[in-house]
Amino acid sequence: MHRLFMRDHAPLLSVSKEFKPWVAMISFTLLASAAWADSQSEISVYRKSHGLSAVTEDAKLSELARQQANAMAERRSMHHNVYASFRSRIKPYGSPVAAENLAMGTKTFGETLATWKSSSGHNANLLNPNVTRMGLASASRDGTTYWALILAAPPEPPQSKVRVLSIFPPIILMRLGTP
C-alpha cells in the first residue's frame, strides 16, 4: 500500500514551483468560498429567526466589499469613505436600498457577526426587511483583520431611454400619387 502513494520515497503527485502559487490560490479560494457560504447561512438563520427572508451572496456586492476591505487594510483605517463614499461605490449596482457594516480587529466571522448584532445600527442593517443580497470580504494587515459586509435589495431594472415627447397633435401620414 505504501507504494501506491510513494515511488522510491518521492511523492507520486508533485507540484512544480511555477504551479505552487496557483495551487495555493485555488485552495484558498475553495476554503474562502466555504467560509462565505457559512457567513451567508449565519446571516440568513439570524434573519429568519426574526421572520425575515434569507440573503443570497451576490458577486458584484462581494467585489465591492472586497475593494472596501482591501482599502481599509491598506490604509489601516476603518471608515466607510476610505475607498470612496458608500453612495458612490454602491450606485453602479443599482439597488434602491443598501447598507454597509464594517468591523476591525475581530478574528473570525462569528466574532464579527456577534459584534454587529450587539450594535443597534449594524443590527438594523442585518435585519432590514428590504435586503435580500449580500457581499462579504475581509482583508488583513499587520495582524488586524478588516471586514466589510454590504447588504442590498436586488438592483432595479434599467430604465428605458425612450421618452414620449408628445401625443398631441396626432400625425397622419398619407401618400399621394399613383403607386
Side-chain angles (χ1 to χ4, degrees):
M1 185 166 189
H2 188 284
R3 291 181 183 223
L4 292 174
F5 297 105
M6 304 286 278
R7 181 184 310 151
D8 299 325
H9 304 290
L12 281 179
L13 294 173
S14 65
V15 179
S16 67
K17 286 182 181 179
E18 62 216 32
F19 290 113
K20 282 185 181 182
W22 288 102
V23 170
M25 185 171 57
I26 291 168
S27 299
F28 177 74
T29 302
L30 292 173
L31 289 172
S33 296
W36 296 157
D38 290 341
S39 62
Q40 176 188 343
S41 296
E42 286 185 53
I43 292 172
S44 292
V45 166
Y46 182 61
R47 288 175 54 81
K48 286 179 179 181
S49 74
H50 287 83
L52 300 170
S53 64
V55 291
T56 57
E57 196 218 342
D58 184 287
K60 290 179 182 177
L61 293 177
S62 293
E63 175 59 21
L64 292 172
R66 185 194 63 76
Q67 291 171 355
Q68 177 67 12
N70 286 343
M72 291 189 304
E74 181 180 302
R75 293 172 180 85
R76 296 178 185 95
S77 173
M78 185 186 74
H79 194 277
H80 292 281
N81 296 331
V82 73
Y83 174 67
S85 73
F86 180 64
R87 178 174 281 180
S88 68
R89 289 184 287 117
I90 198 68
K91 186 176 181 175
Y93 183 72
S95 177
V97 176
E100 179 176 60
N101 284 359
L102 303 178
M104 176 181 91
T106 52
K107 299 287 182 203
T108 67
F109 177 73
E111 290 175 36
T112 306
L113 183 59
T115 300
W116 287 334
K117 286 178 182 180
S118 67
S119 161
S120 62
H122 294 102
N123 194 52
N125 290 342
L126 290 168
L127 298 178
N128 184 323
N130 299 311
V131 302
T132 58
R133 310 279 174 91
M134 67 164 275
L136 174 69
S138 66
S140 296
R141 180 154 188 182
D142 299 330
T144 301
T145 302
Y146 298 82
W147 297 85
L149 169 68
I150 300 176
L151 299 157
E156 292 182 335
Q159 299 294 322
S160 172
K161 300 277 186 203
V162 176
R163 293 187 315 159
V164 177
L165 298 176
S166 174
I167 58 170
F168 295 102
I171 299 173
I172 300 172
L173 297 174
M174 296 174 44
R175 183 174 179 178
L176 299 175
T178 58

